[in-house]
Amino acid sequence: MFKSSIVETTVSDSVTVPLRGNGDADAFDGDPRSFWDRVRRRLRAEIGEEVYLSWFPRVELDGIFGETVRLSVPTRFLKNWIQQHYIDRLNTLWNEEIAGSHVELSVRTAVLRSPGHVPVIARAESSPQPRPLAEVKPITSTPVAPASTPDLGAGSPLDARLTFGTYRLGSSNRLAHAAALKVAQAPAGGPAVFNPLYLHAAVGLGKTHLLQAIVAAGAERGRRVVYLTAERFMYGFIAALKSQSALAFKEQVREIDTLVIDDLQFLQGKSVQQEFCHTLNSLMDSGRQIVIAADRPPSELDALEERVRSRLAGGLVVEIDPLDEDLRLEILASRVAALAQQHPGFSVPQDVLQFIARNCGQNGRDLDGALNRLLAHNQLTSRAITLEMAEEVVRDLVRSSEPKRVRVDDILRIVAKHYNVTRADILSQRRTANVVKPRQIAMYLAKMLTLRSLPEIGRRFGGRDHTTVLHAVRKIEGLVGSDSALASEVETLKRLVSE
């Protein structure tokens, strides 16, 4: 306890501390830091300088209390990582210093330490009355509670199942997977790869799976990797501003080797975006890795400032396309195998898997929903899983045969990608041939595939007059009738937009 400016530590319970050597308590009179120094030297020699410097420089010895060796770290992420990977080795090394001891890890968040902090040894005395320990030195300043700084070290919650080993590959996601694996396998201290790596796709296509796989694999290589959702980043920064600890927040983020941000489209607020931009620049300029995922390409993140979109577009931008039927079938098979481990006897016939893959959506979440329904009906009603049962259970998940409602945004995105121009190019006032043709085709498709009027379409295409839209529609109609190649292109675009 703290009393005035003097600390007195007592032991109320009789604790026997078995020691290395003859076990005599008098052999335990050394400075506790000498024990810790020996443990650290041996640990450094065993795991190597690079790994040691990544994880252990900020571990401190708080004291030795009976058989408990108390170590502390500054973040929950660091505590969890050491607990998962090195706690057994630490226990072994400490046991060789103090027989029967065990390590207890904690996070240093309660009080600010005095610069003169000295670890203590609490031990049993022969006298029944406890006495102050000689090893405890006076503390000349009273500890002061710090301003609460959000701890980003632990990051957002991770799903242990989302690794590269459980990721299923197909033509739609092969490039994204290869880029993510390259980033994850970069050695600690090495240069950044494809910086920043930017993945975008619709919901349920595996963006978060790849991001969390990068975190798991990167951390195994000794990198300080932190996964944050955009919401978590916003909360951390705003909380730091309120607690007047923004500088500590900035320093905490800039110590990360690999920063992984998910759902960037939700990043809101001018001050938050400015801080994100500064963080992006600082980490990239210092050679740190950035990985980002969103539901659209950087050019379409209208809520972000132009300089942020430009910096994001300067790295490797990869789109994950909808899952094809073969990949959906492979994903279903792997999910059934995982469910069978949790629910022995659960299996799904191949014809049912093929039915779900063909008819129940184009993303992983739709597939999970269908399988969960089959599992629930099988377990709760004892009905065998058949094709007839599946058709009944997942009927509301089956894709409608009615045409999809097409949006102008979808048309702009698909046409821009097909002709290798940007959405901004199509909406601009540029009149070069490589921009005019995609613009006119996009206007034609908007008229053919949506219910919007000509004036509405004109407004969506950069505020153009309805006569401009009418001219584009008539021109493309005429060319489609006489140019078979263009007609084929337009049909392909119609199919892509309508899928």
Side-chain angles (χ1 to χ4, degrees):
M1 66 173 64
F2 294 107
K3 196 170 184 179
S4 300
S5 61
I6 304 295
V7 175
E8 292 186 353
T9 304
T10 63
V11 181
S12 57
D13 298 324
S14 178
V15 180
T16 302
V17 185
L19 301 175
R20 183 178 59 176
N22 59 18
D24 184 358
D26 291 337
F28 203 49
D29 288 335
D31 185 339
R33 288 174 296 193
S34 64
F35 294 106
W36 179 220
D37 288 341
R38 285 195 293 271
V39 169
R40 283 190 296 188
R41 282 197 300 271
R42 295 184 58 189
L43 183 64
R44 186 192 296 255
E46 289 183 12
I47 66 178
E49 187 74 6
E50 186 174 288
V51 175
Y52 180 89
L53 291 177
S54 295
W55 301 108
F56 289 96
R58 294 187 291 171
V59 181
E60 294 182 5
L61 174 64
D62 286 349
I64 304 171
F65 304 87
E67 296 180 347
T68 302
V69 177
R70 292 182 184 170
L71 304 179
S72 66
V73 293
T75 67
R76 286 194 302 273
F77 174 80
L78 191 55
K79 175 190 172 185
N80 292 339
W81 178 258
I82 293 175
Q83 193 80 41
Q84 292 172 14
H85 296 84
Y86 294 104
I87 193 66
D88 291 340
R89 190 62 204 141
L90 285 171
N91 277 322
T92 299
L93 292 172
W94 272 103
N95 258 288
E96 294 175 10
E97 296 294 328
I98 306 172
S101 64
H102 65 273
V103 174
E104 179 179 285
L105 277 174
S106 62
V107 180
R108 294 191 294 271
T109 55
V111 294
L112 285 176
R113 293 169 182 262
S114 167
H117 170 76
V118 177
V120 300
I121 298 178
R123 60 183 179 182
E125 300 293 340
S126 57
S127 169
Q129 295 298 322
R131 68 180 185 185
L133 296 178
E135 289 84 354
V136 181
K137 297 182 180 180
I139 297 178
T140 57
S141 60
T142 304
V144 181
S148 176
T149 304
D151 179 18
L152 297 183
S156 298
L158 298 174
D159 187 336
R161 299 170 298 175
L162 303 184
T163 66
F164 285 112
T166 58
Y167 193 79
R168 294 293 171 261
L169 285 176
S171 58
S172 62
N173 60 17
R174 197 173 301 278
L175 177 59
H177 173 270
L181 189 61
K182 185 77 171 177
V183 167
Q185 292 179 342
V193 182
F194 310 132
N195 210 18
L197 173 61
Y198 186 101
L199 307 177
H200 67 97
V203 297
L205 296 183
K207 303 186 301 296
T208 296
H209 192 143
L210 281 180
L211 261 56
Q212 295 202 18
I214 289 173
V215 176
E220 290 176 359
R221 292 180 169 266
R223 299 180 71 91
R224 292 187 295 272
V225 188
V226 174
Y227 168 81
L228 296 172
T229 61
E231 179 188 25
R232 172 71 172 143
F233 183 89
M234 285 191 296
Y235 164 78
F237 181 62
I238 293 171
L241 289 178
K242 289 182 178 179
S243 64
Q244 298 182 348
S245 57
L247 182 59
F249 174 88
K250 294 171 187 284
E251 292 175 348
Q252 193 177 85
V253 174
R254 284 156 176 76
E255 288 181 353
I256 296 169
D257 288 332
T258 301
L259 177 62
V260 180
I261 301 286
D262 203 356
D263 291 327
L264 187 65
Q265 69 272 9
F266 296 130
L267 195 68
Q268 303 290 332
K270 185 174 181 180
S271 61
V272 174
Q273 290 185 22
Q274 287 177 343
E275 177 56 28
F276 175 74
C277 186
H278 295 324
T279 299
L280 197 69
N281 291 333
S282 176
L283 291 176
M284 290 178 63
D285 291 344
S286 60
R288 311 295 178 90
Q289 180 72 55
I290 305 288
V291 183
I292 291 172
D295 65 354
R296 67 201 74 166
S299 60
E300 296 182 19
L301 292 172
D302 298 331
L304 293 182
E305 295 181 1
E306 175 60 31
R307 59 176 177 167
V308 180
R309 298 200 301 269
S310 175
R311 194 78 198 248
L312 294 175
L316 176 62
V317 179
V318 181
E319 180 178 11
I320 302 176
D321 294 321
L323 312 176
D324 57 46
E325 186 174 329
D326 289 341
L327 183 54
R328 294 199 295 272
L329 191 59
E330 185 179 346
I331 290 172
L332 283 169
S334 68
R335 302 284 169 83
V336 169
L339 287 172
Q341 292 182 349
Q342 303 173 34
H343 308 277
F346 176 71
S347 64
V348 181
Q350 187 65 21
D351 60 341
V352 175
L353 292 180
Q354 291 173 342
F355 168 76
I356 294 173
R358 188 178 304 115
N359 297 287
C360 293
Q362 290 185 305
N363 66 64
R365 294 176 188 172
D366 293 339
L367 302 180
D368 282 340
L371 285 182
N372 286 333
R373 292 192 187 191
L374 292 181
L375 174 65
H377 279 73
N378 174 251
Q379 300 284 322
L380 299 177
T381 67
S382 298
R383 291 178 60 188
I385 297 176
T386 63
L387 183 58
E388 291 73 23
M389 181 258 222
E391 289 174 341
E392 174 189 342
V393 169
V394 302
R395 61 181 179 273
D396 61 316
L397 295 179
V398 174
R399 291 194 298 272
S400 172
S401 59
E402 297 179 1
K404 168 190 168 185
R405 182 180 178 184
V406 175
R407 303 182 306 160
V408 173
D409 284 341
D410 295 330
I411 293 172
L412 286 168
R413 176 175 55 83
I414 290 171
V415 171
K417 181 181 177 183
H418 183 80
Y419 288 102
N420 197 28
V421 295
T422 67
R423 183 175 182 271
D425 288 334
I426 294 177
L427 300 182
S428 71
Q429 300 301 317
R430 292 176 55 193
R431 296 180 178 274
T432 55
N434 69 316
V435 173
V436 169
K437 178 183 175 182
R439 180 186 297 140
Q440 291 180 335
I441 290 176
M443 289 180 177
Y444 169 79
L445 293 175
K447 177 59 180 171
M448 295 297 107
L449 302 178
T450 75
L451 300 177
R452 294 185 178 274
S453 64
L454 293 178
E456 287 177 312
I457 294 173
R459 284 194 293 271
R460 297 301 302 275
F461 278 78
R464 286 176 163 79
D465 188 82
H466 75 281
T467 57
T468 303
V469 180
L470 181 60
H471 170 74
V473 171
R474 288 176 174 172
K475 181 172 182 179
I476 298 302
E477 281 179 342
L479 290 174
V480 165
S482 59
D483 187 337
S484 59
L486 180 63
S488 177
E489 282 185 30
V490 171
E491 285 303 314
T492 297
L493 290 168
K494 283 183 180 179
R495 178 176 54 79
L496 291 173
V497 169
S498 300
E499 284 184 349

